[in-house]
Amino acid sequence: MLTSEQLMPLTILLAPIFSTLAILLVLVLDVRHSPKSLWPVKGNVLAMMCCTVVNWGSLVFYFFYPEIFAIINAPVFFALSMVQVFFYGFIFHITRLDAGERFPRYHYYLPAILTLALLAVSFITPFEGQVEIIKAKGKCTNEDYRLFYMVSNSKIPVRTLYSVVYLSLSFYRLRNYRKRVRDYSANEEKGHLRWLSVYLILTTGLTPMPIFKLLLTERLSVITSSVMPTYYLLFTFQYAYLCYYVVKEKYVLMTDKEVNDSHKSTAITPTATTDTDTPQLKKNQLTREVFDQFMATQRPYLNADLKITDLVAELNINRTYLSAFINSEYGVNFSSYINQCRLKEYERLQTLPEKQGYSPQELALMAGFGSYKSLLRFSKEHNIA
């Protein structure tokens, strides 16, 4: 039976559990109505949140029901290790631009090995001894159970190490992705993944917190201090922030079909056109004149989510060639070229009498920009007044 002194700590521990469950429910409802191409992306975040719920929930048993915690100790260890793996799986899928790139299975091996190690140690340690170590809250009260103490209490150090490793991998992958995405997507707002940078920076700031929590939580009373509620609040905000951008799909995802199609190449040699050439593009033939006429008549840049693969089928060329063609002919990458077209369209719309009543934000959307901020950012980066 819980005492009155335990009710406040329990309430504080339950708060992040219910908030994470709410986030998890939103993700489940969203995944149900998402196309299958997004399942690998959202599925990783969904699995990450499930592991997070397990982690938060295990704290209740750790402090109030150590006998139950001893039973679920190994699954909790696995869930704690897999949070970062699933998050990196999410990063991997939204920054995937190469054909044949698959998430390596070896990322799952170490959490499984560590969990099996804890199971093996638990098997040779008396249940009463496990409960005794858990009740000691980070202290080894019996040398006979030293091995169990070391393995069981390695959760937080392992979690911190995983965070450092996978944060480093995520920053590295994001940096490489940004170098290449401008040749693939013309959606600056989604393609640049600025929100993901904010999330990674926030995660970096919170990485030392589990170690800090480990040092503080020898006494249950510490939970009721201002430190732990602030810690839980920051983590809840972090996951809510991630959930918002995942549900809003603020990223450019390259499907398997696009990956395969974009790497089907044919020998293409630009040839000169004659006066009798029509605006329709011919197979294995692309010139600046023909491309300019295609862009002027079709105006694909009005699509805010335009990707270079959207033009591949109509131009009958592969993605690599089209990207190289734009870089060679116009001296800019695909994203900058499309945004230049949008900027010209925006300036044209401003001169039309029938558009005088529209706001700059509305005209920016009509011109193909994802938002007015995208227009301002592009103008600033290219020193355009």
Side-chain angles (χ1 to χ4, degrees), residues 334-353:
F334 172 74
S335 177
S336 294
Y337 170 75
I338 295 299
N339 282 325
Q340 286 177 3
C341 295
R342 290 168 175 166
L343 188 60
K344 292 178 181 178
E345 177 67 13
Y346 174 79
E347 293 171 346
R348 187 187 73 84
L349 292 173
Q350 285 182 311
T351 63
L352 297 179

Side-chain angles (χ1 to χ4, degrees), residues 28-40:
V28 170
L29 294 175
D30 178 62
V31 170
R32 288 183 59 188
H33 298 90
S34 299
K36 290 186 177 181
S37 61
L38 294 179
W39 285 4

Side-chain angles (χ1 to χ4, degrees), residues 132-301:
E132 179 183 336
I133 293 297
I134 294 169
K135 286 182 176 180
K137 301 295 183 290
K139 294 181 180 180
C140 184
T141 56
N142 192 326
E143 287 299 322
D144 293 338
Y145 310 137
R146 169 67 65 175
L147 182 59
F148 176 81
Y149 162 80
M150 293 177 62
V151 177
S152 180
N153 286 277
S154 66
K155 295 185 188 71
I156 300 302
V158 167
R159 162 69 185 274
T160 304
L161 179 61
Y162 260 63
S163 296
V164 172
V165 170
Y166 281 106
L167 275 173
S168 301
L169 291 174
S170 297
F171 275 115
Y172 177 77
R173 190 170 180 87
L174 181 60
R175 186 188 67 175
N176 291 338
Y177 168 81
R178 283 177 172 170
K179 290 180 180 179
R180 300 178 54 197
V181 72
R182 294 178 183 273
D183 288 325
Y184 172 69
S185 171
N187 191 322
E188 185 76 11
E189 189 174 8
K190 290 184 178 180
H192 202 66
L193 295 178
R194 289 181 176 84
W195 65 268
L196 184 56
S197 297
V198 174
Y199 181 87
L200 291 176
I201 292 172
L202 179 60
T203 304
T204 302
L206 292 175
T207 296
M209 289 297 291
I211 293 292
F212 184 57
K213 181 181 70 171
L214 180 65
L215 298 176
L216 287 178
T217 53
E218 294 183 4
R219 302 187 310 276
L220 185 62
S221 60
V222 176
I223 298 179
T224 59
S225 69
S226 60
V227 176
M228 300 315 297
T230 303
Y231 168 75
Y232 297 143
L233 182 62
L234 287 174
F235 267 91
T236 301
F237 170 79
Q238 178 190 22
Y239 291 136
Y241 180 86
L242 175 63
C243 176
Y244 172 80
Y245 283 98
V246 170
V247 171
K248 288 292 186 179
E249 299 174 9
K250 296 290 186 178
Y251 45 84
V252 175
L253 182 64
M254 191 176 195
T255 64
D256 287 338
K257 183 179 185 302
E258 289 175 325
V259 171
N260 294 329
D261 290 348
S262 67
H263 284 75
K264 292 177 181 178
S265 61
T266 54
I268 303 171
T269 305
T271 58
T273 59
T274 65
D275 293 337
T276 59
D277 284 330
T278 64
Q280 179 140 9
L281 298 175
K282 298 180 180 180
K283 187 174 182 179
N284 298 340
Q285 180 176 344
L286 182 64
T287 66
R288 180 163 182 159
E289 178 186 358
V290 173
F291 187 66
D292 285 344
Q293 193 162 2
F294 168 79
M295 295 298 293
T297 55
Q298 301 298 320
R299 300 200 297 173
Y301 51 83

